[in-house]
Amino acid sequence: MPVLCHIDLTVQAGECVVLVGPSGTGKSTLLRSLYANYKPDRGRILVRHEEEWVDMAGAEPRKILEVRSRTVGYVSQFLRVIPRIPAFSILMGTSRMLGIPEEKAGDQTRHLLLRLGIPERLWKISPTTFSGGEQQRINIARGFIFPYPILLLDEPTAALDVRNRQVVVELIREAKARGAAIVGTFHDEEVREAVATRTFEMPSNGRAL
């Protein structure tokens, strides 16, 4: 069956474009396609990666991983981590892979975990044992630990309380201010209105997987 037919979307630096439409119109599917988790049958997904344009719909796996490592951050609704790795080590590992010095990476990790309300007693524990809201905050921390030029946010505030939703709103606003191009879905209307530069209505002529 056709999925995501006739999508035409351009996102500029400093924008937060919010995908809107009824359930089943493909908002999350589009985000996964932008991240190259799904591969379209036709069309192009052009991402500005450093000094070149990369077509995520046709790039080789090695190039996709390169783009993900430095250009495109992704906050999923679901936590996927290696079991038994502590939360602090997961975030530190992301920073160190990106070449951030150990001391600076540690300071960034501590600051972000505290800002997102993850108590220090949990830092040495695997996030697979956390509550749903705590796991989502680890997902958010992974997406914001590095200043990615592009951010894809799939319902980042869905499992969060009011305080932590506001923290995420602040993180998104800060990312916009530094020039990040953001595409996201937000179930919470108040959050959506707080972060959206503009909305993009999903066409109803396809069907999401």
Side-chain angles (χ1 to χ4, degrees), residues 3-4 7 9 19 25-36 38 45 152 183 200 202-203 208:
V3 178
L4 300 180
I7 296 289
L9 173 63
L19 308 178
T25 53
K27 298 184 293 295
S28 294
T29 299
L30 177 55
L31 289 177
R32 292 170 189 151
S33 299
L34 297 176
Y35 198 60
Y38 292 165
I45 300 172
L152 307 175
V183 184
F200 179 79
M202 296 294 294

Side-chain angles (χ1 to χ4, degrees), residues 76-91:
S76 168
Q77 298 181 50
F78 309 103
L79 180 70
R80 293 181 177 86
V81 295
I82 300 173
R84 297 183 295 278
I85 303 296
F88 193 89
S89 298
I90 289 170
L91 297 181

Side-chain angles (χ1 to χ4, degrees), residues 8-20 27 30-31 34 151-154 172 176 180-186 192 195-202:
D8 186 2
L9 173 63
T10 300
V11 184
Q12 304 292 340
E15 281 193 309
C16 179
V17 176
V18 175
L19 308 178
V20 296
K27 298 184 293 295
L30 177 55
L31 289 177
L34 297 176
L151 280 169
L152 307 175
L153 309 177
D154 191 2
I172 294 170
K176 287 169 61 180
I182 304 170
V183 184
T185 64
F186 301 89
R192 186 166 62 239
V195 301
T197 306
R198 58 187 171 94
T199 59
F200 179 79
E201 186 78 32
M202 296 294 294

Side-chain angles (χ1 to χ4, degrees), residues 59-79:
E60 294 295 323
R62 186 185 299 272
K63 177 58 72 172
I64 289 171
L65 291 176
E66 179 186 316
V67 173
R68 288 176 177 179
S69 70
R70 302 198 66 85
T71 298
V72 182
Y74 179 58
V75 176
S76 168
Q77 298 181 50
F78 309 103
L79 180 70

Side-chain angles (χ1 to χ4, degrees), residues 5 19 26 36 56 70 96 100 104 136 146 171:
C5 294
L19 308 178
M56 299 292 277
R70 302 198 66 85
R96 296 294 286 132
I100 298 173
K104 182 177 180 180
Q136 184 62 0
F146 183 75
L171 288 169

